[in-house]
Amino acid sequence: MQKTIITVVGKDAVGIIAKVCTYLSNNQCNIEDISQTITGGFFNMMLIADISASTKRFSEIRHELHQIGDEIGVTIHVQREEIFDKMHRL
């Protein structure tokens, strides 16, 4: 399993979840867990995905999700689970 942490932050708009989840589905990435909130008009989502079945490398997925974020006006961060865990141990 190759778990990846994806965070999406920005001004709320129609279709943010759909755009991100459609991309993941089209690239054989399985969503393990997802949480999203909207506070004061701002959208925040954290998603854990298993990308091990994808034919794309981690770097390609990260780059393409960044591009999607730029297109829809949100910031998308993509991190490997082990890096995320080490960053949050401090």
Side-chain angles (χ1 to χ4, degrees):
M1 194 176 299
Q2 191 177 354
K3 286 191 180 179
T4 302
I5 311 300
I6 300 167
T7 56
V8 182
V9 178
K11 193 132 175 85
D12 187 34
V14 173
I16 297 171
I17 296 171
K19 191 79 166 179
V20 173
C21 291
T22 298
Y23 171 84
L24 294 172
S25 175
N26 288 343
N27 288 284
Q28 296 76 43
C29 300
N30 185 44
I31 296 170
E32 303 269 316
D33 199 359
I34 185 171
S35 173
Q36 65 89 30
T37 58
I38 300 168
T39 305
F42 290 93
F43 178 86
N44 184 25
M45 178 170 70
M46 182 172 178
L47 186 149
I48 301 170
D50 177 6
I51 66 168
S52 59
S54 180
T55 58
K56 293 186 177 181
R57 295 186 317 261
F58 172 84
S59 59
E60 290 176 282
I61 292 170
R62 182 179 59 212
H63 177 72
E64 290 173 358
L65 282 170
H66 283 211
Q67 286 181 316
I68 289 170
D70 289 344
E71 290 170 13
I72 61 176
V74 298
T75 301
I76 300 178
H77 291 283
V78 182
Q79 295 178 298
R80 295 181 193 275
E81 180 186 37
E82 60 269 16
I83 301 296
F84 184 85
D85 287 344
K86 287 182 183 182
M87 285 178 52
H88 290 89
R89 269 192 206 160
L90 301 174

